[in-house]
Amino acid sequence: MQTNLQAALLALSLDRSSTAPLHAQLTEALRALILDGTARPGERLPASRDLAAELSVSRQTTLTALDQLIAEGYLAARRGAGTFVARDLPHLSPPVQVPADGPRAEGPSALRVFQPGLPDMALFPHGTWARHLDRAWRSPDPGLLGNADPFGWPRLRAAIASHLGAWRGLDCSAGQVIVTSGSVETFETLFRALFAPGETVLIETPGYAPMRHAAMTAGLRHQPLPVDNGGAILPTEALARGAVVSPSRHYPLGVTMPLARRLALLDWARRQGTWIIEDDYDSEFRYTGTPRPALAALGPAQTIYVGSFSKLFSPTLRLGYMVVPQPLLDRVRAAMARTGPRASLVPQPALASFMESGEFAIHLRRMRRTYADRRAALRAAILRLLPGRVTLPDDPAGMHVVCHPGPDWGNRPDTDIAARARAHGLGLRALSAYWPDGDGPQGLVLGFAAFPPDRLAEGAATLARLFAQAEPGKASVRT
């Protein structure tokens, strides 16, 4: 069988015209050789350097593919000996093939330049993550094999508390941290735990649509909180049972709530005897100075802090968290008991060790430097190629920019510009579409974090051509 494996490896070819990355193609091909029995348990694979030479790819490509298969359990690395097919494979047989005339699962679509809300997964430390995952489960802690705490793996909760103390100014204990499967589960749990059906909650408009849907599903009434350049505006007579705000950086407007308005919001919560849910969206990405302290650092007794790893680490990790004041812990535990914990335990010990080692902070700093450069490149391209078409606030934070109409914007609504941009391969969004009825102010939302400077410049050039093709001679749209 050794000869068959070598022949199969020799026959491997990677499609350089495909949208799928080379390392992903190689991972899939090697996995198929293992599943169909060509590569048998215990069989040794060629060295990464030799495999890279045979395929005419970089060694990093082969290392990334091998690390991924090691993390999945298909391969095992032995120090000084090489990489071998695992003896206890995670699958006993290849996946069932779907008939040619049956429904087909669609693969991931290619990223479109300016698509907002996405981190650059090329920056993800794949090899480091694989090592932490391997160490966590090769000889697992006995606690991982018993009845897990629905609040999450204790070491991860402690690591999150330490991270929030250093980066967000929160003075919280590990016991207040609850690990979830993401922000949607977090909001669903909090709405069940804190409020009764029929009660009113203040929600920013525009805001996070899945969160608004979670409130409706819980039977809550939601009163819109308008947002201006200083963030959410608290109504004079706000008789609600709670509020959901994103004071550090609002999405999509990118504005930050000033201290005076934060203190007024906390004072309202104290007087009403109610709660504020703080959605801390991408606040770590501030490129001048240090990140602003969280609202929960100013009013920990009134505020439930909500965070996620989707922008800091990977959206595929599907892990989020909340920091809950001590008096609410029993109510949150009871709410979670209705559905049981939904956050996977598998990545939690690996993420804990990744954070404890300091590698998470190093990764975060690297992302901040890279995203700062990309933001600068995008701003320079827009100011050079679209003068007069748009105005661009100098907001030194986040993963996207908002372009507002300039004097030469023209007569096309932002939704039409966004549709035309999509037809030309761009992923920007119309600002007005973020309002529930699509009637918000005109503008364009451009993500930059996931794209290198040359692609951002090309996208800006395409956008400039689309503006130049706009019909002249009509009245300007409402701004």
Side-chain angles (χ1 to χ4, degrees):
M1 295 301 294
Q2 182 72 15
T3 303
N4 290 343
L5 173 59
Q6 294 301 329
L9 291 173
L10 188 64
L12 281 181
S13 62
L14 304 179
D15 183 6
R16 286 166 169 77
S17 65
S18 171
T19 57
L22 295 178
H23 67 81
Q25 296 182 45
L26 180 56
T27 300
E28 183 178 355
L30 292 175
R31 188 189 296 113
L33 292 179
I34 295 170
L35 290 174
D36 69 17
T38 301
R40 303 185 60 133
E43 197 161 7
R44 186 180 185 277
L45 268 67
S48 59
R49 196 181 302 277
D50 295 337
L51 189 58
E54 290 178 8
L55 296 173
S56 298
V57 297
S58 70
R59 189 182 177 213
Q60 186 59 46
T61 296
T62 58
L63 284 173
T64 300
L66 295 176
D67 284 341
Q68 178 64 31
L69 292 173
I70 290 171
E72 293 176 4
Y74 291 98
L75 300 177
R78 302 178 196 166
R79 187 179 297 275
T83 303
F84 299 77
V85 179
R87 295 193 178 277
D88 297 318
L89 295 176
H91 299 293
L92 300 178
S93 61
V96 176
Q97 297 297 317
V98 177
D101 57 349
R104 295 179 178 272
E106 295 184 3
S109 57
L111 297 184
R112 293 172 174 265
V113 176
F114 299 147
Q115 194 169 337
L118 297 176
D120 188 349
M121 287 303 298
L123 299 178
F124 185 90
H126 298 279
T128 302
W129 175 248
R131 288 192 293 273
H132 283 283
L133 201 59
D134 179 68
R135 281 198 294 267
W137 289 100
R138 183 174 292 277
S139 180
D141 185 295
L144 293 169
L145 307 178
N147 292 324
D149 187 333
F151 279 6
W153 182 237
R155 280 180 52 193
L156 177 58
R157 296 166 66 191
I160 292 172
S162 178
H163 165 75
L164 294 177
W167 287 82
R168 305 299 296 120
L170 265 67
D171 182 13
C172 62
S173 68
Q176 294 176 256
V177 177
I178 301 172
V179 179
T180 68
S181 62
S183 58
V184 173
E185 182 198 353
T186 303
F187 288 123
E188 290 175 349
T189 301
L190 290 174
F191 290 149
R192 289 198 305 268
L194 304 183
F195 311 114
E199 290 186 327
T200 299
V201 177
L202 305 176
I203 295 179
E204 292 173 330
T205 300
Y208 185 43
M211 178 266 292
R212 188 167 55 245
H213 178 73
M216 295 172 61
T217 302
L220 303 179
R221 300 178 180 180
H222 61 276
Q223 178 180 340
L225 270 180
V227 179
D228 63 10
N229 289 336
I233 306 171
L234 188 67
T236 305
E237 298 294 333
L239 300 178
R241 290 295 303 139
V244 185
V245 296
S246 51
S248 292
R249 193 168 194 272
H250 179 272
Y251 183 85
L253 296 177
V255 296
T256 299
M257 185 181 292
L259 178 61
R261 195 172 290 187
R262 295 183 187 214
L263 295 177
L265 185 60
L266 291 171
D267 180 65
W268 169 81
R270 279 190 293 268
R271 288 186 285 104
Q272 295 285 327
T274 188
W275 304 101
I276 300 171
I277 300 174
E278 177 183 13
D279 184 8
D280 201 35
Y281 179 82
D282 78 6
S283 60
E284 282 90 350
F285 297 117
R286 179 161 291 277
Y287 309 119
T288 59
T290 58
R292 308 241 177 121
L295 183 66
L298 300 173
Q302 291 82 39
T303 310
I304 298 96
Y305 179 93
V306 175
S308 171
F309 290 101
S310 63
K311 304 295 186 293
L312 305 182
F313 200 48
S314 167
T316 60
L317 194 61
R318 305 306 304 162
L319 288 180
Y321 54 89
M322 52 179 148
V323 180
V324 178
Q326 195 78 27
L328 291 179
L329 288 174
D330 287 343
R331 290 165 64 176
V332 173
R333 188 178 292 274
M336 293 184 73
R338 301 181 195 178
T339 59
R342 286 186 266 172
S344 172
L345 185 61
V346 173
Q348 292 187 42
L351 182 55
S353 63
F354 185 76
M355 297 179 76
E356 292 165 350
S357 69
E359 291 165 320
F360 178 74
I362 293 171
H363 173 61
L364 179 52
R365 290 190 184 96
R366 179 189 177 198
M367 293 172 73
R368 288 176 66 183
R369 289 194 299 269
T370 302
Y371 294 173
D373 292 341
R374 293 177 179 182
R375 171 186 170 276
L378 176 58
R379 283 184 56 81
I382 290 175
L383 295 175
R384 184 179 72 255
L385 297 170
L386 294 159
R389 301 287 192 185
V390 299
T391 62
L392 193 59
D394 188 11
D395 175 28
M399 301 167 65
H400 73 280
V401 299
V402 181
C403 296
H404 299 283
D408 300 328
W409 171 276
N411 61 349
R412 289 188 182 275
D414 58 357
T415 50
D416 182 55
I417 296 172
R420 286 170 55 82
R422 184 168 183 81
H424 286 77
L426 302 181
L428 58 86
R429 306 286 170 80
L431 180 62
S432 65
Y434 284 90
W435 272 254
D437 296 325
D439 58 351
Q442 297 287 295
L444 301 172
V445 179
L446 280 63
F448 59 79
F451 310 100
D454 58 339
R455 293 193 66 192
L456 294 172
E458 291 170 3
T462 300
L463 183 59
R465 288 194 295 272
L466 294 179
F467 268 100
Q469 295 166 6
E471 296 181 64
K474 295 185 179 180
S476 297
V477 296
R478 173 180 52 84
T479 60

